[in-house]
Amino acid sequence: MVRPPELDDYMDLFNRYGKDFGSAYLEPEDERFRFLFDQLCRLLAQPSPFNLSLPEPFRTTAHRYLAGDEITVAHMRVAENRHFMLSDLFDYVHLRQRLGGGIR
C-alpha cells in the first residue's frame, strides 16, 4: 500500500537534487528540472492531508498539467514558469519544515 504524500516526501525529492531551489527560476533549462517538475506534479495530485494544506494553486496546476489542460500545459512548457513553480514550492515546503508544519 502506498501512503499519502507528506512534507518529508517533498523535502526528500528536493534534497536529491542537492541544491537550494529558492533561485531555480534563474537557472537555465535542464532535463533534471523537467523531471523534478513532473515528479512534484504527481505528488501534488495525490490526495493527502498534507497536500490539502498546501496553497490551492500548486494542486490545481498539477492536476491540470497532468490532465493535459491546453492552457496549463502551454504555460508550463515555458521553462521559466516551471522553474518559478519549483522555486515557490521549495520555499513553501522548506518554510513548513522549519516551522514544524508537517501534517500527517
Side-chain angles (χ1 to χ4, degrees):
M1 176 192 266
V2 176
R3 65 174 175 69
E6 299 173 352
L7 176 117
D8 289 342
D9 297 311
Y10 288 90
M11 291 308 299
D12 289 345
L13 194 52
F14 278 117
N15 287 336
R16 287 182 194 165
Y17 287 80
K19 66 178 280 140
D20 178 350
F21 278 84
S23 62
Y25 65 95
L26 299 172
E27 298 283 337
E29 177 66 311
D30 186 320
E31 187 64 35
R32 295 172 307 136
F33 289 155
R34 278 195 293 264
F35 185 62
L36 176 60
F37 178 79
D38 186 64
Q39 290 176 302
L40 288 169
C41 282
R42 292 179 191 290
L43 274 181
L44 286 163
Q46 295 178 37
S48 80
F50 179 74
N51 281 353
L52 288 174
S53 76
L54 294 172
E56 186 269 334
F58 290 133
R59 292 178 283 120
T60 299
T61 298
H63 282 283
R64 289 179 180 167
Y65 179 79
L66 293 172
D69 176 74
E70 280 185 41
I71 294 170
T72 304
V73 169
H75 182 74
M76 289 303 172
R77 194 171 290 132
V78 177
E80 291 83 7
N81 294 336
R82 287 192 311 274
H83 293 187
F84 192 72
M85 183 171 162
L86 289 175
S87 173
D88 280 354
L89 184 58
F90 174 82
D91 287 346
Y92 191 85
V93 297
H94 192 311
L95 179 63
R96 290 281 299 272
Q97 181 188 42
R98 290 183 61 150
L99 296 175
I103 294 175
R104 304 221 179 235

